[in-house]
Amino acid sequence: PKKMMLQVWKAVHDFSMIEKGDRVLLGLSGGKDSLALLHILLHLKKNSPPGYFTLGIATVDPGMDSFDPKPLKPYVASLGLPYHFLETPIIDWASSGKMHGDSLCAFCSRMKRGALYSCCRDQGYNKLALAQHLDDQAESLFMSAMHNGLLRTMKASYPIDATDVTVIRPLVFVRENALRDYCYAQAFPVIDENCPACFEEPKERQHIKKLLAREEAQF
């Protein structure tokens, strides 16, 4: 969609997310947001000068029965992109007492991010693209304000502590409903994640999402 692509172009330009010679690795979970970003980046690549940037894909398989990303393998192969399928026994690590006080969600997120950073280093990527969108940014802002008393949210682009990899979020200006509509209109092979730790208990982010949806409906 033209409006969505203009929003992505604006983010990429405003935050210098993708520059000549960059090697970009997309973290692909198989959810609607990351699948939409995959095809948006392919469109950007197609409409950039030849060789302007290269694109690779990585999926972290945390080893849980309720989430199987293996169907992504033939799909990504059909696109002709380099694919790094990272089998990482995160659930086994959690069960063996390595969480050190983290919740399972926090531990899983940290381990997934670490696996993606390592893949970037091992394979020579200098940018890691993640699929958080404008709604995620707003929810994080309200969560930070209400629970920590701080006005802050996820950054659109930033180098990690080691400075060898920069995280970019090209969807920072895109609404979640636009991504959902695009993804399902194109019949992308969405993989539902059904982690009990994420979905069986009430979560702060879900509460904030409902709160913001109620407020938005008033205007």
Side-chain angles (χ1 to χ4, degrees):
K2 183 177 180 180
K3 179 181 178 181
M4 186 168 65
M5 288 308 307
L6 289 174
Q7 292 167 334
V8 172
W9 276 113
K10 176 175 170 55
V12 169
H13 177 267
D14 288 358
F15 298 101
S16 302
M17 291 185 181
I18 299 176
E19 300 172 307
K20 186 176 181 180
D22 278 344
R23 288 176 51 79
V24 180
L25 182 72
L26 168 65
L28 180 70
S29 69
K32 63 178 180 10
D33 302 328
S34 63
L35 277 167
L37 181 55
L38 165 60
H39 287 273
I40 287 168
L41 290 175
L42 282 171
H43 181 79
L44 288 180
K45 192 172 186 300
K46 180 180 178 181
N47 288 276
S48 298
Y52 188 77
F53 75 95
T54 57
L55 178 64
I57 312 297
T59 296
V60 179
D61 182 354
M64 62 177 65
D65 294 336
S66 55
F67 174 59
D68 180 14
K70 291 182 179 62
L72 290 171
K73 289 182 176 180
Y75 183 72
V76 176
S78 72
L79 300 175
L81 294 169
Y83 190 36
H84 312 281
F85 193 85
L86 312 175
E87 294 185 329
T88 311
I90 295 173
I91 300 305
D92 289 344
W93 293 342
S95 301
S96 62
K98 295 183 178 180
M99 291 198 295
H100 303 298
D102 282 343
S103 67
L104 179 55
C105 285
F107 178 76
C108 186
S109 177
R110 183 160 55 87
M111 293 298 103
K112 284 181 179 178
R113 192 70 61 86
L116 291 172
Y117 292 161
S118 295
C119 183
C120 284
R121 295 188 182 105
D122 294 344
Q123 303 298 328
Y125 295 98
N126 66 311
K127 299 284 178 71
L128 174 62
L130 301 178
Q132 287 89 3
H133 44 66
L134 181 57
D135 292 57
D136 290 323
Q137 301 288 109
E139 291 156 15
S140 293
L141 175 65
F142 274 78
M143 288 172 65
S144 177
M146 293 181 177
H147 296 283
N148 301 313
L150 298 172
L151 291 177
R152 65 182 183 187
T153 188
M154 295 178 285
K155 296 179 180 179
S157 177
Y158 66 94
I160 67 172
D161 290 342
T163 72
D164 55 343
V165 175
T166 297
V167 173
I168 60 173
R169 295 186 168 103
L171 303 179
V172 69
F173 295 141
V174 182
R175 293 298 305 267
E176 181 179 17
N177 58 359
L179 292 166
R180 180 177 57 247
D181 292 346
Y182 169 60
C183 197
Y184 289 111
Q186 298 296 318
F188 296 149
V190 176
I191 295 177
D192 292 324
E193 185 169 353
N194 296 301
C195 174
C198 294
F199 294 100
E200 285 185 358
E201 300 177 4
K203 293 296 175 184
E204 294 174 1
R205 182 171 294 274
Q206 190 63 25
H207 174 75
I208 294 295
K209 182 184 287 289
K210 291 179 179 178
L211 183 151
L212 292 177
R214 287 197 303 269
E215 292 301 309
E216 186 176 11
Q218 301 301 313
F219 298 96

